[in-house]
Amino acid sequence: MTEIPSPSNSSVPAPLWRRLLPPLLAAALVAVLGVALLSPSRNATDGGPLVGKPAPQFTLTSLDGTKVSLASLKGRPVVLNFWASWCGPCREEAPLFRELSTRQGGGQGLAVVGILFQETKEQNARDFIREYALAYPSLRDPGIQTGINYGVQGIPETFFIDQSGVVQHVDRGGLTRERLNAGLAKIGVAGL
Amino acid sequence: MRRLLPSALGLLLSASLALTPAQETRAQHLGSNLRCPICTGVPITESPNDISREMLREVREQVAAGRSDRDIYAYFAARYGNFVLLDPPKEGAGVLLWGAPLAALAAGGAVLWGFLHRKRSAQEEAAPPTADEPFDPYLAEVQRRTRRAGSGEGGGA
């Protein structure tokens, strides 16, 4: 048996980093796509551009005719709820707001305020308020001026504003007790 | 109907706020880049709901007040986030979005150029030695034999 010298492989093996580069690039791409797909940024129920910023000012009239402005609530933590009578989740979270409204103090402490969003018939809103015995003002928002100022995308949407008038938490969609408590904790109010 | 709606809306609104035709086109253009926040991917100029109408009114008011496009987009982005802009801004994370394909194209081009260049220079390098080296009959014999041995089946002469 004669040993045939195998023709020497003339190409020198590529350096390690070069061999690892394509699989690493592919892995990085997959990782980025995975993170982008799994991150809940757009579906998140909380957060938003207003968090950490001063709450937009408003002066609106309530359904019973009294003027309410955010400035007049200065020094108090405020829970601001955008709602309408035609909105299903608003109905589901209403008992929580009923419960919460019993907590608000007369001249100080927590203040709960509702703002009507695209309410087509005021009478429906009045019926809603009576049905759930909501003991806090619900304000008319002609021209959705305040809604746009708060960047409301859909209702219900709830803004938790601290004593110094800064938005600390925003929650979209019908609140559960846990989510309401999470917001309340951010503005230093004891949970339900 | 879809085409008529924006102009009809514009006409309806122009009754309440007097804008010059140039301002009106600007407002419509700005509006066509703002996403209706409660619809799916439709600009506020094409959706007939209340909030879109009010947002468009806000745009028109700001155009009338002489605010710049940038300011008006910033006004809405501060409230709704960049999501409200149908054409994402070419800054921040947007730069990555716009720049990544271009960067990838450039990188691919560079790799291809390097590959082709290396191939050509390798060919150029391989050719000269046979021409420059003085003819060595012994080396030629060895090369011929090894080549035959390498290619032929078990040809170990």
Side-chain angles (χ1 to χ4, degrees):
Chain A
M1 285 246 296
T2 41
E3 280 287 317
I4 301 157
S6 64
S8 70
N9 197 354
S10 60
S11 59
V12 185
L16 187 66
W17 69 267
R18 198 177 247 176
R19 271 181 293 154
L20 286 181
L21 194 62
L24 280 181
L25 273 178
L29 207 62
V30 169
V32 167
L33 283 175
V35 167
L37 280 173
L38 295 176
S39 69
S41 58
R42 194 76 353 251
N43 302 326
T45 60
D46 55 1
L50 270 184
V51 173
K53 303 224 173 74
Q57 291 297 326
F58 59 82
T59 304
L60 298 170
T61 321
S62 76
L63 285 178
D64 50 28
T66 51
K67 267 204 156 67
V68 178
S69 70
L70 187 62
S72 69
L73 302 171
K74 202 163 172 61
R76 302 170 65 178
V78 179
V79 174
L80 190 64
N81 177 241
F82 285 87
W83 69 282
S85 63
W86 45 262
C87 136
C90 300
R91 204 162 277 281
E92 284 165 28
E93 67 177 10
L96 283 173
F97 278 102
R98 155 84 198 132
E99 205 178 324
L100 186 66
S101 65
T102 61
R103 292 274 210 86
Q104 60 182 352
Q108 50 191 354
L110 174 71
V112 183
V113 178
I115 294 184
L116 291 169
F117 183 83
Q118 292 190 289
E119 182 58 72
T120 41
K121 270 176 103 179
E122 250 177 43
Q123 190 50 47
N124 292 351
R126 288 180 206 280
D127 292 346
F128 187 105
I129 290 168
R130 195 168 310 119
E131 185 181 340
Y132 291 98
L134 301 180
Y136 56 86
S138 276
L139 316 177
R140 298 189 188 103
D141 183 15
I144 327 179
Q145 195 78 54
T146 310
I148 292 174
N149 254 342
Y150 275 82
V152 175
Q153 299 174 16
I155 45 170
E157 208 162 298
T158 309
F159 293 78
F160 297 84
I161 303 164
D162 71 9
Q163 291 180 342
S164 54
V166 175
V167 177
Q168 292 295 349
H169 191 70
V170 179
D171 202 308
R172 287 177 210 94
L175 286 172
T176 57
R177 193 171 290 267
E178 292 73 43
R179 277 159 61 188
L180 176 64
N181 286 344
L184 291 175
K186 293 258 177 78
I187 55 170
V189 175
L192 287 177
Chain B
M1 185 61 200
R2 260 176 87 84
R3 289 264 67 89
L4 271 172
L5 206 59
S7 46
L9 265 176
L11 218 72
L12 201 78
L13 286 165
S14 56
S16 57
L17 190 71
L19 289 184
T20 66
Q23 283 177 323
E24 186 56 51
T25 19
R26 228 190 104 207
Q28 289 294 326
H29 174 73
L30 285 163
S32 68
N33 271 334
L34 290 169
R35 189 194 301 267
C36 156
I38 58 173
C39 323
T40 42
V42 179
I44 57 171
T45 48
E46 281 180 29
S47 68
N49 59 41
D50 286 359
I51 191 149
S52 295
R53 217 172 49 224
E54 293 301 335
M55 282 170 77
L56 194 57
R57 187 185 50 74
E58 184 71 48
V59 170
R60 289 162 50 78
E61 265 177 21
Q62 297 201 14
V63 165
R67 299 190 71 193
S68 72
D69 291 10
R70 201 188 168 78
D71 285 349
I72 295 173
Y73 285 139
Y75 172 87
F76 285 102
R79 286 157 178 78
Y80 286 96
N82 277 346
F83 179 70
V84 80
L85 308 175
L86 282 169
D87 190 11
K90 297 169 188 68
E91 51 193 54
V95 169
L96 199 70
L97 196 67
W98 288 95
L102 291 177
L105 193 69
V111 167
L112 186 68
W113 188 83
F115 179 72
L116 292 176
H117 191 72
R118 191 161 3 105
K119 210 171 181 183
R120 196 177 310 136
S121 61
Q123 278 171 355
E124 279 164 8
E125 254 171 45
T130 47
D132 288 355
E133 265 176 44
F135 183 69
D136 184 342
Y138 182 68
L139 181 65
E141 177 67 15
V142 169
Q143 276 176 345
R144 205 173 62 235
R145 283 183 173 229
T146 50
R147 210 169 295 143
R148 202 187 302 145
S151 59
E153 268 297 309

